[in-house]
Amino acid sequence: MTCARSWRRLAAGLCLGLALALPALALPAMAQQSQPQPQAAAEATAAATRNGREIYENFRSGLAEPECEAGGVSKRWRQHFATAPKRLAADDDLLPLFGYVVDALRQAHLPTEFALIPFVESGYRPGARSPAGPAGLWQMIAITARNHKVPMRSGYDGRLSPIDSTTAAVRYLKTLHGMFAGDWRLTVMAYNAGEYRVLGALKRGGQVARNANPEQLPGLSDITQAYVRKLHALSCLMEQADDREEWLHSLDRPVPRLQAVTLPPEIKRIDQWAARTGQDADQLKRLNPVFADTIGTRPARLLAVAYTGSGTASGGDAVAAMPAQASPPASPAPDQPAVTETSRRHTVRRGENASTIARRYDVRVADLMQRNGLAGNAVLKPGQLLVIDRLDSQADHVPGEAGSP
């Protein structure tokens, strides 16, 4: 800023005063920008964690068969998995990983009984290997993994990535769930034995998927027959943990919220990412056994605590680690209505029918069935997803009832 020599002395004084005042006026704004933002930091921390009870409740609310009637749970498998709830609460790797799998299943609108499959298959260990060939969290054999688009190449076995394997497992379960009329029991039997064996058993037994009795399917192995009982026993152990205040108290703590994070190209090792984000390098390595000493494959996705900060690449550009979804949002099946963000949804449970569900949500049975593209006398199956609210701004009217509310 300059002042012409021809100005009067008063003008010069005003000019000088303004020049001196401008930096002072700018200081508060500059200081405000340089001040740490405690609220933003707190929000970032909250987004990176959630309460363990939230994970448990999310699991419970997604069960297709939450009832645990006396005598309806296998004593053998209840005893076999008796320590599973305590391990879920105490293992710092297991509870976040369990939450990640539950989230993926809820996003795909699948029963959360399926989140118990890794308990049975691998004990929820992403690096588990079987001498018979299966590997990873979901214990897939190589041919199954390739058939379901798990990356398998030299130096990279996607079965050992909880991201790749969970994406594939959820996609496969989604297919099976639709193939077997939304029956979660037939779905898990098919996951264990293969869909064609279960389809053959249904044919030999003169049964159809929509009203099958899985316990009476002929020609399936004892392991496959027991699969449903194992998962139901596990589910009931967790469901009945409501009475165990000590167990629930142990869940009542902040738990990392895991997401698939795409690494910047300059990150070559897991410990580099751990140092940048302040995460536990050893835990990241346990969660991501697909990567050994170096991260060679690109793009590289790491299962880690969600990170929304930025680092500086060698060229000086800011690099943001963008979290990726565990699995893409599932498209509704052709015979299922689209679900809007504001629609209430209900997963049919054993013993429920259209009338009891309609009463619960204060809607008419005819409206409920029409909104879900179902005939008025259709039989609802456990695990079936129903849309409660109408899907657009137009009122739903049952034919012959024009003018009804």
Side-chain angles (χ1 to χ4, degrees):
M1 181 181 297
T2 61
C3 300
R5 294 179 181 178
S6 62
W7 285 12
R8 294 187 178 90
R9 183 173 299 177
L10 178 59
L14 290 173
C15 184
L16 177 61
L18 181 60
L20 293 173
L22 282 174
L25 291 171
L27 281 175
M30 293 173 62
Q32 183 176 4
Q33 290 178 2
S34 63
Q35 288 291 328
Q37 302 295 324
Q39 181 178 356
E43 290 175 354
T45 300
T49 63
R50 55 180 162 178
N51 192 285
R53 289 283 292 271
E54 179 186 338
I55 296 173
Y56 175 54
E57 292 300 335
N58 197 26
F59 164 76
R60 288 186 60 193
S61 62
L63 291 170
E65 191 172 348
E67 294 81 9
C68 300
E69 305 89 351
V73 181
S74 168
K75 292 182 179 179
R76 173 188 175 186
W77 296 116
R78 186 182 178 89
Q79 292 174 353
H80 182 83
F81 294 111
T83 61
K86 289 183 179 179
R87 183 173 165 240
L88 178 67
D91 192 320
D92 289 336
D93 293 350
L94 201 163
L95 187 54
L97 193 52
F98 181 71
Y100 173 76
V101 172
V102 169
D103 288 345
L105 291 167
R106 294 304 303 271
Q107 184 182 13
H109 310 304
L110 291 173
T112 49
E113 277 92 348
F114 300 158
L116 302 174
I117 291 175
F119 266 114
V120 174
E121 294 290 347
S122 67
Y124 255 95
R125 292 178 293 118
R129 286 187 179 274
S130 168
L137 191 69
W138 298 86
Q139 287 293 283
M140 293 183 179
I141 61 174
I143 189 171
T144 300
R146 289 191 176 94
N147 287 343
H148 294 282
K149 302 179 182 179
V150 175
M152 301 278 290
R153 55 183 177 270
S154 177
Y156 189 89
D157 185 345
R159 296 176 298 170
L160 301 178
S161 163
I163 301 168
D164 292 335
S165 63
T166 298
T167 299
V170 170
R171 185 188 300 119
Y172 185 31
L173 289 165
K174 183 83 172 178
T175 299
L176 295 174
H177 197 244
M179 182 181 295
F180 292 102
D183 191 314
W184 78 269
R185 301 164 301 169
L186 293 175
T187 299
V188 298
M189 293 172 79
Y191 183 87
N192 175 257
E195 56 266 40
Y196 295 110
R197 288 184 182 176
V198 176
L199 288 170
L202 285 169
K203 185 176 181 179
R204 287 191 298 273
Q207 301 186 42
V208 291
R210 64 177 176 271
N211 58 8
N213 186 343
E215 294 289 338
Q216 295 182 1
L217 288 179
L220 296 177
S221 70
D222 292 340
I223 294 175
T224 299
Q225 292 283 4
Y227 215 82
V228 174
R229 296 191 290 273
K230 290 178 183 180
L231 297 187
H232 189 53
L234 265 168
S235 171
C236 288
L237 280 169
M238 295 185 187
E239 174 73 12
Q240 293 170 346
D242 273 348
D243 299 328
R244 305 176 188 178
E245 291 301 324
E246 182 180 352
W247 186 79
L248 288 174
H249 180 72
S250 65
L251 290 177
D252 192 8
R253 69 180 193 277
V255 175
R257 186 189 299 271
L258 300 180
Q259 287 186 333
V261 177
T262 301
L263 298 180
E266 74 273 13
I267 297 296
K268 306 298 183 184
R269 299 189 312 275
I270 288 179
D271 56 1
Q272 290 178 319
W273 184 248
R276 174 175 293 190
T277 60
Q279 298 184 43
D280 185 335
D282 290 336
Q283 183 181 46
L284 289 179
K285 290 176 182 178
R286 291 193 301 270
L287 291 173
N288 298 274
V290 67
F291 297 116
D293 295 332
T294 59
I295 300 172
T297 184
R298 297 293 172 175
R301 294 196 300 164
L302 195 72
L303 189 64
V305 179
Y307 177 69
T308 56
S310 62
T312 302
S314 57
D317 297 329
V319 178
M322 302 301 294
Q325 296 293 339
S327 58
S331 301
D335 58 344
Q336 291 289 330
V339 179
T340 67
E341 291 295 327
T342 57
S343 295
R344 289 180 296 173
R345 290 161 284 179
H346 179 83
T347 301
V348 179
R349 298 180 175 182
R350 184 173 292 275
E352 290 184 326
N353 56 42
S355 179
T356 60
I357 296 171
R359 280 200 304 271
R360 175 176 175 178
Y361 292 99
D362 194 24
V363 298
R364 297 186 309 165
V365 173
D367 288 344
L368 177 68
M369 302 303 274
Q370 184 187 33
R371 287 167 192 167
N372 288 275
L374 300 172
N377 61 349
V379 177
L380 303 182
K381 298 288 291 183
Q384 185 175 355
L385 179 69
L386 296 179
V387 175
I388 303 301
D389 302 310
R390 56 186 161 209
L391 303 178
D392 51 40
S393 59
Q394 297 179 351
D396 294 320
H397 293 298
V398 178
E401 296 185 359
S404 60

